[in-house]
Amino acid sequence: MAKKALIERELKRDRLVAKYAAKHAELKGIANSAKHSDEERDAARQALQKLPRNANPTRQRNRCEITGRPRGTFRQFGLARAKIRELAFAGDIPGVTKASW
């Protein structure tokens, strides 16, 4: 089980990313657009730097919904590999069966 503080930090990042998503996308579009002048693009890059660091979507980390484990997490299930194995063997994940050959 991950520390409660680390899980809460990740939730805080999620809220910040959601709050600044529109502004971040707009500034990113201006900064990467060839239609705008160099001064406008530079101003957009400066504005991007002034946004909170944790408002950047690349700082988010996928974590297991049950344990909070940051590594070995499958996006399809939102669970860590160990929890997928436990739940699949118990038959709690529909459509997932143990492979045998």
Side-chain angles (χ1 to χ4, degrees):
M1 189 74 179
K3 287 185 179 178
K4 184 75 172 163
L6 297 178
I7 295 171
E8 289 300 320
R9 184 186 307 162
E10 211 49 55
L11 293 175
K12 183 179 177 183
R13 282 186 184 140
D14 291 343
R15 288 191 297 271
L16 266 176
V17 167
K19 179 179 178 182
Y20 289 100
K23 187 169 189 173
H24 190 274
E26 177 189 347
L27 291 172
K28 197 80 163 149
I30 293 171
N32 293 334
S33 173
K35 297 177 189 175
H36 295 85
S37 68
D38 288 340
E39 292 81 22
E40 289 174 327
R41 293 169 65 189
D42 191 42
R45 288 189 187 103
Q46 294 295 325
L48 269 172
Q49 289 180 355
K50 293 200 185 304
L51 292 179
R53 179 174 287 178
N54 284 332
N56 192 340
T58 60
R59 290 183 64 92
Q60 289 178 306
R61 180 79 181 189
N62 293 333
R63 286 187 174 269
C64 176
E65 292 292 324
I66 298 172
T67 62
R69 180 180 165 84
R71 297 185 182 207
T73 304
F74 286 68
R75 289 183 185 188
Q76 182 178 0
F77 302 108
L79 301 172
R81 55 185 170 73
K83 281 295 167 186
I84 290 174
R85 187 171 190 270
E86 286 177 18
L87 295 174
F89 286 165
D92 294 337
I93 303 176
V96 177
T97 57
K98 185 178 185 302
S100 61
W101 58 92

